[in-house]
Amino acid sequence: MRILIFIFLSFFFCNQIVAQKITFSTHIAPIIQQKCAPCHRPGEAAPFSLLTYQDVAKRGTFIKDVVQSGYMPPWKPDNNYRTFHNDRSLSKAEKELIVKWVDSKMPEGSVKKSAKENSAIVYIQGTQYHRKPDTVLKVSKPFFIKGDNEERFLVFKIPFDLAKDQNVEAVEFVSSNKKVIHHANFAVHPVENEVDILQGADYVDLSGSDRSKYDQYLPFKKKMDYYGGWIPGTSFESYPKDFGWVMPKRGVILLTIHYAPTGKDEEEMSGINFFFTKSAIKRKVDVISLGSAGVGESSIEPYFMIPADTTKAFNLKIVTPQDQSLLYIWPHMHLLGKTFKAYAVTPQGDTVKLVSIPSWDFKWQEIYRYKKLIKIPKGSILTIEALYDNTKENPKNPNHPPKMVFSANDMKTTDEMMTMLMVFLKYEEGDENLELDK
Ligand code: HEC
């Protein structure tokens, strides 16, 4: 009995000691700053800030729950299939620290230290990148969205005339009101001096009868230097040293915004943050879109339509035309999406794993950056496999009762897509061993 009491007491005290050691300032603040605050701060996507001790302690139990269930931080890829540079999931140890800290009544620890550590990561208003943008190119004025529950497709014209060409080290879509946006794409078009970049309307509404007015932007569209985008959950796109693309001195950005239906009047104003670098771009990055609305759309098998009350799997196989090094991958489906997997099979028969999302959630998408460049040799068969659930058991199904869904050109949320964007470079010897910074 005495031994039992002794064991019990020492266990109790040990736990107490361990618990006492976990404080906000020493253990919890660094995790929250790194893994939560990018979204949980003013101006970002989350509904409340997690910056101070009070912000966090006030929601302790709630935070413990969402961390334990894996709901927060949102991170959908299977890390056993492939790990990523921008992984924001919590390690097992970090989760345990948060749970134990909440269970031990959330001691704050040394406030002095906390203030010091708070300055370890300085968040900058208006960006998730680590410094202020060099140039922000915005639409001319806020767009008013009527609360009539209609989807809208707008193309905004953003003319620009910089002092000179610029080397881009990072780009980031920004918006004053991200929650009303379903997705955004932007294309950077260089425009020669003879063409007036100020001509034409500030925007064209593609969802209305305006559609034909889109032709007024044709003079800008002769060349395209880059193509990027934003979907819910995504952050910036940045490139390792010496990598990037060149922003032309003069031109027009055509920014397509798909507004989600809203029942309440809203305003939104968006733009693109550009981060330039003085060092030369030695390796040019490129983007390609595969699948719906991209390369190989008609090769999706079987034909891309999902009858009501079925779950249906599709695949797309595309042969890689040259040796490529892959930097980012960006899977995309809508509300019926369940699983998404991509891999390449080399001519030698080796499988290169690219990404696996075992439980797709439209709300949490991301452009995933690899830790090292992934070589995809010429002649590899790039394969995408995706599964969709168009039954009433799928709680996200937008149709009650379910109805036949396919990929229409409009890309409404209630249509479906099976798309994958890749940011890649031409392969150079030794790429797969390059140490990438940033
Ligand atoms: C990628 C952005 C992002 C990151 C990173 C993130 N959150 Fe969130 N969080 C959100 C958004 C957006 C919401 C509100 C929408 C929702 O719940 O679907 C949210 C909601 C929450 C909620 C409320 C959940 C509910 O059911 O209403 C809690 C609690 C929370 N987050 C805690 C955290 C914690 C703790 C972390 C870090 C360990 C974290 N979040 C990281 C974006 C993020």
Side-chain angles (χ1 to χ4, degrees), residues 36 43 53 57 97 110 133 141 151 161 166-167 208 280-281 288 314 332 338 347 360 377 412 423 427-428 433:
C36 319
Y53 171 74
L97 270 178
S110 152
K141 52 177 176 292
E151 297 198 65
D161 198 350
Q166 295 281 2
N167 299 333
I281 305 278
I288 186 171
F314 298 89
H332 182 61
K338 277 283 145 189
W360 175 261
K412 288 207 170 85
V423 175
Y427 175 78
E428 280 181 16
N433 301 318

Side-chain angles (χ1 to χ4, degrees), residues 31-32 34-40 44-48 50 56 59 62-64 66-67 71-74 88 90 98 128 233-234 363-366:
I31 304 176
I32 301 277
Q34 223 197 336
K35 302 281 175 76
C36 319
C39 302
H40 286 270
E44 292 302 331
F48 48 84
L50 292 177
V56 178
R59 302 181 176 87
F62 201 7
I63 287 173
K64 176 182 153 186
V66 296
V67 161
Y71 183 64
M72 286 285 147
R88 62 176 165 228
L90 294 175
I98 294 177
Q128 297 205 12
T234 40
K363 209 157 80 179
W364 306 118
Q365 306 184 44
E366 182 57 279

Side-chain angles (χ1 to χ4, degrees), residues 188-289:
V188 178
H189 300 285
V191 176
E192 59 275 32
N193 287 332
E194 299 76 67
V195 179
D196 176 10
I197 51 174
L198 300 177
Q199 68 178 310
D202 288 348
Y203 65 82
V204 172
D205 187 346
L206 293 187
S207 38
S209 50
D210 258 13
R211 223 179 162 109
S212 61
K213 293 190 189 147
Y214 187 50
D215 287 354
Q216 64 187 300
Y217 295 157
L218 285 178
F220 308 139
K221 292 184 71 175
K222 295 206 177 105
K223 278 202 249 157
M224 180 168 82
D225 281 358
Y226 203 71
Y227 178 80
W230 182 87
I231 37 184
T234 40
S235 47
F236 54 83
E237 184 176 314
S238 71
Y239 316 110
K241 190 167 178 301
D242 299 336
F243 290 39
W245 51 279
V246 177
M247 174 81 178
K249 175 180 172 314
R250 183 177 184 275
V252 169
I253 293 174
L254 291 179
L255 171 65
T256 307
I257 299 205
H258 174 182
Y259 291 106
T262 165
K264 158 173 164 284
D265 289 355
E266 298 268 1
E267 264 191 358
E268 191 277 335
M269 185 161 179
S270 38
I272 322 280
N273 285 342
F274 286 91
F275 304 87
F276 298 136
T277 169
K278 289 213 168 61
S279 51
I281 305 278
K282 293 184 188 137
R283 307 285 306 274
K284 187 181 175 303
V285 297
D286 243 313
V287 207
I288 186 171
S289 170

